[in-house]
Every structure is written in structure tokens, then in C-alpha cells.
Amino acid sequence: MPADTDVFIVGGGPAGLAAALAARQNGFEVVVADRAHPPIDKACGEGLMPDGVAALRRMGVELGCWQGLPFRGIRFVDNELEAEAWFPHHGGLGIRRTLLHQALVERAEHAGVVTYWQTPVDAIDPCGVTVGGQTVRCRWIIGADGIHSRVRQWAGLRQVWSGVRRMGLRQHFRVRPWTDLVEVFWHKGAQAYVTPVGPEEVCVALIGSAEKAPGADMAALFPQLADRLGRAEPMGSQRGAISISTKLAAVTRGRIALIGDASGSVDAVTGDGLALAFHQATSLGAALAAGDLTSYETSHRRIVRMPRVMERLLLLMDGSDGFRRRALRAVAARPTTFSRLLAVHVGALRPWEASFDVFDFALRLLASRTVIRPSI
Ligand SMILES: Cc1cc2nc3c(=O)[nH]c(=O)nc-3n(C[C@H](O)[C@H](O)[C@H](O)COP(=O)(O)OP(=O)(O)OC[C@H]3O[C@@H](n4cnc5c(N)ncnc54)[C@H](O)[C@@H]3O)c2cc1C
């Protein structure tokens, strides 16, 4: 460990490594420490949204077909109801979490980031961070240590809100992907989403309540998915993780900034956690360069605003069969509305540019709810 550095990043997951790259691009000396060994795996749907792919490219991380499989949109499936939409310009990428991590590590180390693995950070103090009894002095401390962030606690940056706690389980299957869309299969209180991640491999993430998800009978909840998977062989072991939506009053204090899940998270069903972290990294890099974290605080709020709106809509669909089916009928009847809402979700359209579509969607929802009673 060096005695000092400009930026010390606690956590070398996707958010920490993206923050490291952004800081290096702005000329800082950067140290990253993570308690795990790379490539780090994690339960994840493994779908990287198009804006996340683009944000990584701007940081010099080129992900290609040799690492994953592009997908061109999203399909929602609820028994007989189906609705799909394509991304407006570029597709997303289905990529195994370990391959994404490996690509980020290689790029970061190539860019001059100093990495320490199997190295837990024990504390922060007024001079810097404490690692294995040694203090590393630094100008900036970045907490990229995930949903249970200790840096957040040490800095006194408390969560002011948390949503429903759900459980996510991930399993890979050896099967040729049957579509180039990410498919989300819906059931009340649970979703399974399928991301093509290789020519002979799909990733299935099941998300549901902590009671429902672990013992869930996939075939009973999602018969169409069970048909698709047929006798496909599970690959590797199943992994689980908590999916929870959390909000903080502030993500910076003094010279400390939080990023990624440590700075507040959105439910996994949005498929947006990674892209959010990569956007946050870009704006954090600019704030570090300016020597003032105020702009990061503001842009962090802006970056998470729209995903939170989408999350609310998706969780409403999770909680009510009636609402979900009306919503699916509404977007199936007018695919352009779905495409434009998806374009807003990935930042290709500004929300006001889709205001007519939101209005149209709301009208259709209301219309499908109206029961016309015969007059007596
Ligand atoms: C079931 C599920 C499915 C998901 N699907 C998707 C999806 O399809 N697409 C998408 O974009 N997002 C998805 N997400 C969200 C995404 O996984 C997260 O947003 C993303 O992992 C956040 O990255 P991070 O770097 O902030 O945190 P993490 O990936 O959790 O990394 C935090 C790192 O900090 C390290 N660490 C913690 N404490 C210390 C310490 N004291 N010292 C040193 N190191 C420490 C850990 O070892 C870890 O490597 C999903 C989430 C779940 C739960």
C-alpha cells in the first residue's frame, strides 16, 4: 500500500472500477481496494442497458460480442399477454458478471489504477483510510462498497428511505438463446428475466419476495419460460442477492462521495443498476477535477430520477395483476408508446419528449378500467 494517493476507492465492483477510470481520466492517482478476489461474481440479471454500454465506451472500456451477446430490446410476457419494444439506436449487452468485471479490471489497471484485492478496508479517519492497520492518506475517499456500505455508515450518510426488500436468484442455462430481446416473465410478486449472454447460454434471474423466491417453482410460476428452457442444463451454481430500493438524503460529505449501490439503489427489475453506476462515475470524475463535489450531488439526483419513476411503475405491475394486465394491454395495443417509454428509460429521449406517450398510456389504462354497465 502506498502511504498516500489522490483518490482512494473502497470497493472494486463495477461502480468502484468505473469511478477509478473516471478519476484516472481526470489525471488523479487512484488506489482501489476490494475484499474479494477478481473476477468478482454476483447475482445479477447480466443485462447492461445501451446507455451503460455507451458510458463504458467513453471510459475506454470496449465490450464486444466476444464477451457477451447484444440484445435489441425488451419483451414482457404475462401468460397470453406479450408486449415488446426495441431500443432506439444501439442495443444493450448481455454479459456474464465475471467477464464484465474482468474487462473493467484490465482497463483500470492498464490506465494506471493501483488495485489491491482480498484487501478489506477497516475504517476511515481524518487523514484517509485504514487498511490492515495502516493509514493511507488521500484527498478523496469514494465509497463503492455496495448495498451494505460501511463507508456510508462511517461518513454518517444515512438512508432516508428503503422500499420493499426482495430476493434475487441467478442461474445460467446451457441453451441457444431463442430471442435477441431480454424477456421479463411476470407473475404477481415475482418476475423472471432472461438475458442472452452467449451463443449457447442464457442467464435467468428470478426476483421475488424473500419468502417466495428461494423455494419458487419456476415451472408453476412461469410455464412459458419452463417450456423455453425445456431440458436445458443448469450451468454453475445458483447465486442469490438482495434487491432493494434505497434513497439517501445526500451522497457526499466533505471529501467523501458514495457511488453505485452504496449511494442508493433501484430494484433489480429495472435492469438499471450498472448503467446508473457508470453515469455516476462520469459525473463524479468531473466533480473531482473541479475540486468540488457539489455538482456530483446534483447530477446524482438527476441521474436516478427517471429510473425511480420507472421502478415505481414496474413495482405497481408486480403488486397488482389487474394493473399489470391493463398496462401490458395498453402497450401491446400501441407498440410505439412502449418504444418511446423505453427510450426515456435508457436516456435516448428526454421525459418531456415522451409526454404525449405517457398521456396516451394513462388514457389507455383508464379506458381499459372503465366498465360499461348496461342501462336499466
Ligand atoms: C438479482 C439482481 C439482478 C440484477 N440485475 C441487473 C441487471 O440485469 N442489470 C443491471 O444493470 N443491474 C442489475 N442489478 C443491479 C447491479 O447488480 C448492481 O447495481 C451493481 O452490482 C452495483 O455495483 P456496485 O459496484 O455498486 O456494488 P457491488 O457490485 O456490490 O460491489 C461492491 C464491492 O465492494 C466490496 N466491498 C464491500 N465492503 C468492502 C470493504 N469494507 N473493503 C473492501 N471492499 C469492500 C465488495 O467485495 C464488492 O466487490 C441486479 C441486482 C440484483 C440483486
Side-chain angles (χ1 to χ4, degrees):
M1 270 292 159
D4 49 46
T5 182
D6 295 329
V7 182
F8 195 107
I9 301 182
V10 185
L17 290 170
L21 279 167
R24 277 300 296 148
Q25 280 184 330
N26 286 287
F28 292 98
E29 275 179 15
V30 186
V31 172
V32 174
D34 196 293
R35 63 184 177 197
H37 195 273
I40 301 175
D41 201 0
K42 188 183 168 176
C44 184
E46 303 187 336
L48 182 54
M49 290 292 182
D51 52 318
V53 178
L56 279 186
R57 190 172 300 129
R58 287 192 292 274
M59 285 185 240
V61 185
E62 275 295 341
L63 298 171
C65 299
W66 62 97
Q67 285 142 316
L69 220 55
F71 57 90
R72 65 187 166 99
I74 308 284
R75 178 184 291 137
F76 285 171
V77 184
D78 180 354
N79 292 307
E80 76 293 349
L81 284 173
E82 280 190 20
E84 67 181 53
W86 297 357
F87 298 120
H89 309 301
H90 309 286
L93 189 74
I95 178 167
R96 262 208 185 224
R97 195 62 193 222
T98 43
L99 293 178
L100 173 65
H101 194 251
Q102 196 173 319
L104 286 167
V105 171
E106 278 168 15
R107 180 68 200 131
E109 290 177 348
H110 187 256
V113 173
V114 180
T115 51
Y116 289 88
W117 304 106
Q118 293 177 301
T119 307
V121 172
D122 307 316
I124 58 177
D125 65 31
C127 303
V129 301
T130 314
V131 189
Q134 181 198 335
T135 294
V136 180
R137 284 189 305 277
C138 55
R139 183 165 170 214
W140 304 105
I141 300 171
I142 312 298
D145 49 344
I147 203 136
H148 304 293
S149 172
R150 302 282 306 280
V151 176
R152 187 172 63 219
Q153 290 169 21
W154 294 331
L157 290 163
R158 296 195 195 292
Q159 287 176 4
V160 288
W161 179 85
S162 66
V164 53
R165 194 182 175 88
R166 304 208 294 161
M167 178 82 195
L169 294 170
R170 177 220 69 189
Q171 177 73 64
H172 295 104
F173 288 89
R174 192 184 309 280
V175 61
R176 184 172 298 245
W178 52 88
T179 171
D180 57 359
L181 303 171
V182 166
E183 285 188 325
V184 185
F185 293 84
W186 290 85
H187 192 276
K188 190 172 178 198
Q191 294 77 52
Y193 61 98
V194 185
T195 311
V197 292
E200 296 291 336
E201 188 178 358
V202 299
C203 170
V204 178
L206 172 76
I207 311 163
S209 63
E211 301 82 51
K212 202 168 199 166
D217 178 353
M218 286 266 278
L221 288 178
F222 310 108
Q224 284 133 312
L225 173 56
D227 277 354
R228 289 289 197 196
L229 290 174
R231 292 176 185 278
E233 178 196 337
M235 297 166 70
S237 54
Q238 196 181 53
R239 258 181 186 268
I242 296 296
S243 166
I244 190 166
S245 172
T246 58
K247 224 187 254 182
L248 276 66
V251 296
T252 62
R253 171 163 290 173
R255 62 204 179 102
I256 303 169
L258 302 177
I259 188 168
D261 282 1
S263 68
S265 52
V266 288
D267 189 275
V269 73
T270 60
D272 233 4
L274 294 167
L276 282 180
F278 301 149
H279 290 304
Q280 289 161 5
T282 305
S283 66
L284 179 55
L288 294 177
D292 179 1
L293 295 178
T294 320
S295 65
Y296 176 59
E297 191 72 65
T298 315
S299 57
H300 190 284
R301 261 197 295 276
R302 178 181 43 74
I303 289 166
V304 297
R305 194 172 298 139
M306 193 36 72
R308 288 210 186 281
V309 173
M310 290 299 178
E311 173 191 63
R312 215 164 300 155
L313 182 65
L314 294 168
L315 288 178
L316 273 175
M317 289 173 63
D318 167 72
S320 158
D321 285 338
F323 178 79
R324 181 175 64 256
R325 292 192 182 136
R326 287 201 306 279
L328 283 183
R329 273 189 210 107
V331 287
R334 203 174 157 94
T336 48
T337 297
F338 194 11
S339 301
R340 289 174 66 84
L341 291 177
L342 189 61
V344 173
H345 186 58
V346 299
L349 268 188
R350 274 168 291 192
W352 58 265
E353 291 176 291
S355 44
F356 172 78
D357 304 276
V358 174
F359 182 64
D360 178 71
F361 175 64
L363 268 186
R364 280 168 194 276
L365 269 180
L366 284 173
S368 62
R369 200 177 165 194
T370 310
V371 180
I372 301 167
R373 298 180 194 287
S375 52
I376 302 165

